[in-house]
Amino acid sequence: MEAIEELAVQPCTSSLYLRPFRLSYRQNGTKKFWDFMRTHDSVSILIFNTSRQCFVVVKQFRPAVYMCEIERHQPQVFENQDKESFPSLENPLPAVVGVTYELCAGIVDKPGLSLEEIACEEVLEECGYRVSIADLRRITSYRSGVGVTGSRQTLFYAEVNDQMRTSGGGGQAEEGELIEVVEIPLGESMKFAYDETFPKTMGVIFSFMWFHNNIAPKLPKK
């Protein structure tokens, strides 16, 4: 996962996932504009394995996170952002600075499938568990990236057990996905959520808190 080589930054003239726009408008009599990007909505799934009393999350390299760290340490890389060429990345940071812990998730890009069906597909592809729509509980939906994309993410909860695991997961290699499945023991989950040495999304923190408030009190006492 961390064998990242031949890094090169270049302008993005087209994308399958992002479309940049500028909105001009008048607010309370003042003329304004705002740059934003349209992208897909998404689903995410909090997975709890009842056989081993642990959360199942994923770990992967995120280029955007990596480049944020690059800019923090090597700001000169983005100084020529309006030009056609960027300086080469000399002495790049180790790839681990771009690796994050996340909920199992996926974009909503299949018009013929419901959010629940897409969520089931993502659980199988990324984490190797076969779940049905009946296994899903919708927690809530919320806006992410409100200053840039404004996309909607819908969060589900699914309980699984060892018998429901049919593969090792890892994502779809043919689409370039390289995902590591990670188990977080229930008893260590809140410590993990607030440990900044493990880079993670807000979805992980929020969903762990939701679980401890709504599911954990109903678990059988040991």
Side-chain angles (χ1 to χ4, degrees), residues 1-2 4 7 59-67 93-100 102 178-180:
M1 178 181 294
E2 297 173 14
I4 307 297
L7 292 159
K59 179 181 175 184
Q60 56 187 318
F61 176 77
R62 290 297 195 180
V65 174
Y66 181 79
M67 292 311 297
L93 299 175
V96 67
V97 302
V99 174
T100 60
E102 310 168 18
L178 182 57
I179 295 172
E180 179 182 338

Side-chain angles (χ1 to χ4, degrees), residues 139-156:
I139 298 177
T140 190
S141 65
Y142 47 84
R143 297 289 181 177
S144 60
V146 292
V148 181
T149 67
S151 59
R152 180 189 297 275
Q153 183 165 90
T154 303
L155 174 62
F156 294 96

Side-chain angles (χ1 to χ4, degrees), residues 7-9 66-67 70 74 77-78 86-92:
L7 292 159
V9 181
Y66 181 79
M67 292 311 297
I70 286 287
Q74 302 175 25
V77 170
F78 290 95
F86 289 77
S88 59
L89 294 177
E90 299 180 0
N91 303 315

